[in-house]
């Protein structure tokens, strides 16, 4: 029997899984029947773990027990404390992966032990290694990582069909922007250039909107408590999303002593976030320049990432490039579908066995060399240049700089800046050389960068050969893996079947906290009714009650973020 390999988009904001099955790539639903699982983890008072929507609902009500956006810290040793428990970023990611794995097992009806995970193109060695470890900690073998833009390109290839095309993939997510150029010819999908801005995404819009709201209503954003700022930013996000489908939205805040509201439109958003739009053009120009293409050479524009839903973003990009985005762009699911296709290729599924994906190195890799003008400021000497086709293996020769030098230190950097101090240090190696006059002893340094974006460095001198896979000394020993695996599996993930009620309860509590008066009273009634229904533990009754509760909460949510010109107030009639 061939074991299925699943593809996973482990996003900053949301995560999804997909699998190649019955001749096509299929998204895997979670327990709520949704494809997007929020990348949020929360620890309950009894120590059990919530992942996904239920955890997301607790971000505001239980900020000290709930965490999101930990992907930004992957590859670091930052410790997050949730209640009494402590986690590394990769352990939090592992909990999300575990949930997705369970969903996949439920969907496929068989155990799942291997995954292909997508990572941002700009992820460093340490971040990639941490992603692989997260897989291990979730009980998944992760041999293959795929860059997110390449995954998006693969799914565009399967979607669009036609070949011999040049396509620009624009991926604006929650916190990052990735832009890539992809050529498709017959069964070869080649990523030819990538660029991006890893500090630009949907949450920058939320923040800018919240700040502009304060400015216009005479509030001082910086003097709000963190909790109030969070609430306001969340309101801004809700309105931003509402503006995707409706012409206006109302931002309302009522903190203890402050009440303010403002009707906003897409024009307002464009006016207030102008500088964010402008920042989107630099990476586009960069990829076109790197590939030596003009915008006219593009055949297709594929928009990816949650923030690509924004009409203002679509307009801006279409105008900048002078072309309309593809009709079947799938902003939320393209990367997961691509990762699923990649997983299918790895599993050698029949229909896509012939498909070939070629990728490029998203950044320049090099070593530090002595700079005679400024001895303290080492220069970057590139070995593998940005956008080299992978796998890539290149060698450079360096010479000793001092008489009777005994060792040569090789510092490996990643980045585009001329001075090493402005790039990212990936690791160091030190090799002995025979002593002699300066400039007579050589070191050959070979970089091999594989398709997963993992770098191997080899150094050869007349007396020694040294090679290393640079991981900033963050590799875990098998014993360490085992220990952490045990600690993590001892954690109780909330049972899958309780996920829907748990998420609804948390959502009701969140809405309760952010509403007042009649709405609050209606929610209170609904909550106690729902809890009564849940305690019956009769599956049919619970399912019906959940449906009703969801409708109620939808109407409250719509009311709170309502179009100010519509009326209607959600009432709660106790059905009993
Ligand atoms: P990531 O890849 O970083 O996990 P996503 O691609 O899931 O992120 O995008 C998340 C971002 O997209 C969030 O900032 C969210 O506010 C935004 N977003 C999601 N849906 C919409 C929508 N319908 N309209 C506008 N923005 C949206
Ligand atoms: Mg993304």
């Amino acid at each position: 029997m061939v074991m299925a390999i699943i593809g996973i988009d482990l996003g900053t904001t949301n995560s999804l899984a997909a699998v190649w099955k019955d001749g096509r790539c299929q998204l895997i639903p979670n327990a709520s029947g949704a494809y997007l699982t929020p990348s949020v983890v929360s620890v309950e008072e009894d120590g059990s773990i919530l992942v996904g929507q239920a955890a997301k609902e607790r971000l505001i009500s239980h900020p000290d027990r709930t965490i999101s956006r930990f992907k930004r810290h992957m590859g670091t040793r930052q410790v997050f404390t949730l209640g009494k428990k402590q986690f590394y970023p990769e352990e939090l990611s592992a909990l999300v992966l575990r949930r997705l794995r369970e969903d996949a097992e439920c969907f496929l009806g068989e155990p799942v032990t291997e995954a292909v995970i997508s990572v941002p193109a700009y992820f460093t060695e340490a971040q990639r290694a941490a992603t692989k470890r997260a897989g291990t900690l979730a009980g998944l073998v992760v041999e293959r990582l795929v860059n997110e833009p390449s995954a998006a390109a693969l799914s565009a290839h399967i979607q669009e069909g036609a070949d011999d095309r040049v396509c620009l993939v624009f991926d604006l997510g929650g916190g990052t922007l990735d832009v890539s150029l992809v050529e498709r010819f017959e069964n070869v999908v080649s990523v030819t250039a990538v660029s991006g801005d890893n500090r630009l995404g949907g949450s920058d819009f939320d923040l800018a909107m919240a700040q502009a709201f304060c400015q216009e209503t005479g509030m001082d954003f910086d003097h709000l408590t963190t909790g109030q700022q969070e609430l306001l930013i969340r309101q801004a996000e809700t309105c931003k999303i509402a503006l995707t489908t409706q012409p206006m939205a109302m931002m309302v805040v009522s903190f203890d002593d402050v009440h303010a509201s403002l009707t906003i439109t897409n024009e307002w958003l464009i006016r207030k976030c102008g500088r964010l739009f402008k920042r989107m053009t630099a990476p586009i120009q960069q990829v076109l320049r790197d590939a030596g293409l003009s915008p006219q050479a593009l055949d297709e524009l594929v928009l990816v990432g949650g923030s690509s839903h924004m009409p203002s973003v679509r307009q801006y990009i279409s105008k900048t490039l002078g072309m309309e985005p593809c009709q079947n762009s799938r902003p939320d699911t393209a990367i997961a579908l691509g990762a699923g296709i990649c997983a299918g290729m790895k599993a050698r599924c029949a229909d896509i066995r012939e498909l070939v994906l070629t990728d490029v190195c998203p950044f320049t890799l090099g070593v530090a060399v002595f700079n005679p003008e400024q001895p303290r400021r080492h220069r970057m000497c590139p070995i593998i240049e940005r956008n080299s086709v992978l796998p890539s293996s290149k060698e450079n020769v360096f010479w000793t700089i001092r008489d009777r030098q005994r060792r040569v230190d090789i510092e490996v950097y990643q980045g585009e800046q001329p001075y090493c101090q402005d790039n990212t240090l990936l690791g160091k190696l030190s090799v002995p050389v025979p002593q002699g006059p300066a400039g007579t002893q050589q070191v050959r340094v070979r970089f091999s960068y594989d398709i997963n974006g993992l770098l191997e460095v080899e150094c050869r001198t007349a007396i020694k050969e040294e090679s290393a896979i640079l991981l900033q000394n963050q590799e875990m020993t098998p014993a360490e893996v085992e220990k952490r695996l045990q600690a993590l599996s001892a954690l109780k993930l909330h049972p899958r079947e309780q996920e829907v009620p748990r998420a609804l309860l948390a959502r009701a509590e969140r809405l309760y906290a952010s509403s007042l008066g009649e709405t609050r009273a209606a929610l209170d009634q609904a909550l106690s009714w729902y809890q009564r229904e849940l305690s019956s533990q009769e599956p049919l009754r619970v399912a019906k009650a959940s449906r009703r509760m969801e409708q109620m909460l939808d109407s409250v949510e719509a009311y709170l973020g309502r179009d100010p010109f519509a009326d209607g107030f959600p009432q709660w009639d106790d059905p009993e």
Side-chain angles (χ1 to χ4, degrees), residues 9 11-12 71 148 171 173-174 176 305 335:
D9 168 5
T12 311
K71 181 174 174 178
E148 287 170 6
D171 175 1
T176 56
I335 290 171

Side-chain angles (χ1 to χ4, degrees), residues 115-291:
V116 172
I117 302 181
S118 59
V119 292
Y122 60 81
F123 252 27
T124 61
E125 297 289 305
Q127 292 169 307
R128 284 167 199 266
T131 305
K132 285 190 156 196
R133 286 199 302 268
T136 309
L137 294 172
L140 288 166
V141 175
V142 182
E143 286 176 357
R144 177 89 167 86
L145 299 174
V146 59
N147 286 336
E148 287 170 6
S150 317
L154 263 184
S155 77
H157 171 72
I158 299 273
Q159 289 277 300
E160 303 294 323
D163 66 14
D164 200 2
R165 311 278 257 164
V166 180
C167 164
L168 185 135
V169 182
F170 179 92
D171 175 1
L172 188 61
T176 56
L177 168 63
D178 271 304
V179 180
S180 44
L181 268 187
V182 185
E183 273 183 60
R184 308 203 302 267
F185 190 79
E186 295 183 343
N187 59 355
V188 182
V189 181
S190 301
V191 178
T192 52
V194 295
S195 181
D197 183 337
N198 57 21
R199 298 256 162 264
L200 179 63
S203 48
D204 297 293
F205 284 88
D206 307 339
L207 179 63
M209 287 168 71
Q211 288 169 334
F213 172 84
C214 286
Q215 216 172 37
E216 297 206 0
T217 56
M219 287 161 66
D220 187 350
F221 185 82
D222 296 329
H223 279 97
L224 297 175
T225 65
T226 316
Q228 290 172 329
Q229 287 182 350
E230 276 291 326
L231 261 175
L232 190 54
I233 289 172
R234 176 123 190 187
Q235 259 279 309
E237 185 187 14
T238 308
C239 289
K240 176 189 77 179
I241 293 174
L243 286 177
T244 300
T245 49
Q246 64 195 44
M248 47 185 100
M250 187 144 92
M251 264 182 89
V252 194
V253 291
S254 28
F255 301 138
D256 305 332
D257 44 351
V258 208
H259 301 273
S261 67
L262 185 72
T263 300
I264 61 170
T265 61
N266 274 307
E267 287 69 47
W268 182 87
L269 191 152
I270 293 172
R271 222 170 35 244
K272 296 298 167 190
C273 303
R275 69 194 163 79
L276 297 178
F277 289 100
K278 291 208 188 80
R279 278 171 59 191
M280 294 175 194
T281 43
I284 296 181
Q285 285 166 344
Q286 178 80 57
V287 286
L288 289 170
R289 213 178 308 125
D290 280 1

Side-chain angles (χ1 to χ4, degrees), residues 500-521:
V500 172
R502 201 60 205 82
L504 285 172
L505 286 172
R507 184 175 169 206
E509 285 163 22
R510 165 174 65 81
L511 290 170
Y512 181 93
S514 62
S515 62
L516 289 170
E518 282 181 278
T519 320
R520 186 172 258 205

